[in-house]
Amino acid sequence: MKNKRTKFITQAAIIAAMYAALTYAQNFLLPGTTSMAVQFRASEALNVLALFTPAAIPGLTIGCILSNLYNIGAGLPLDMIFGSLATLGATLCIWFLRKVTVKGYPLTSMLMPAIWNGIIVGWEIEYFFIEGDFEWIGFLTQGGLVALGEVAVMAILGTLLWAAIRKKNIDKLLNK
């Protein structure tokens, strides 16, 4: 029992560190690409890990919190709250939907980051960062832009990572 708990905590910590490190590195090399309207946050591809281990749920959520610490100076610390809640919701759904596939591909799970971030972060942007009253067209626009970036990351990098994990049987190591 103790070994399983230790393994879970260790996996979660490593995943959190990888997410934060990738986001910081991308922000350093390509400033703004992790926080623009159409984000292409490469670290979001790590959401795929929630298909293979439940430790990815707290790991990615904590990684998101840590990586959003960087953006506090650029605005409000709201993304630490809302972005992290979106990550938590997405990874929980990925884990629970991991066996739902289309011809062996976890399409429903791969769409979860786009859905959760599109709705939550889209609302956050429209409500807190756009001047004037909340407008549905603005929410749909902001949410659509966020979702577009998430779909791109998951379709390209997420799919490549998912395929590599399966091909190299790393999924078996994560579940041991």
Side-chain angles (χ1 to χ4, degrees):
M1 185 72 105
K2 188 176 177 183
N3 285 339
K4 283 187 177 187
R5 184 173 183 213
T6 302
K7 179 183 175 189
F8 183 90
I9 292 169
T10 303
Q11 282 182 346
I14 290 169
I15 292 167
M18 287 189 323
Y19 186 98
L22 281 170
T23 305
Y24 287 141
Q26 180 180 343
N27 232 2
F28 178 74
L29 297 171
L30 303 165
T33 58
T34 65
S35 59
M36 296 184 324
V38 181
Q39 299 176 8
F40 192 89
R41 196 180 270 199
S43 53
E44 283 290 295
L46 295 176
N47 280 310
V48 164
L49 297 175
L51 287 164
F52 305 108
T53 176
I57 299 165
L60 291 164
T61 303
I62 292 166
C64 186
I65 291 168
L66 293 172
S67 65
N68 286 335
L69 281 171
Y70 178 83
N71 291 324
I72 286 179
L76 301 172
L78 295 169
D79 209 36
M80 277 181 54
I81 298 165
F82 295 109
S84 303
L85 285 174
T87 298
L88 176 61
T91 54
L92 280 167
C93 286
I94 290 169
W95 175 252
F96 288 116
L97 295 169
R98 69 190 180 279
K99 294 183 180 172
V100 177
T101 63
V102 176
K103 296 185 179 181
Y105 181 75
L107 178 63
T108 308
S109 291
M110 294 295 222
L111 291 174
M112 289 299 115
I115 293 168
W116 281 86
N117 282 284
I119 293 169
I120 293 176
V121 177
W123 172 82
E124 172 195 354
I125 293 168
E126 177 61 25
Y127 190 81
F128 291 107
F129 297 106
I130 305 297
E131 294 291 321
D133 295 331
F134 179 91
E135 293 183 18
W136 282 100
I137 192 72
F139 162 69
L140 294 173
T141 302
Q142 298 303 328
L145 291 171
V146 171
L148 179 64
E150 291 286 341
V151 166
V153 169
M154 294 304 289
I156 300 166
L157 300 177
T159 298
L160 290 171
L161 181 58
W162 171 78
I165 288 170
R166 290 183 44 143
K167 183 176 182 179
K168 298 293 182 180
N169 291 319
I170 297 170
D171 54 332
K172 309 292 188 274
L173 295 173
L174 292 170
N175 287 317
K176 253 186 174 180

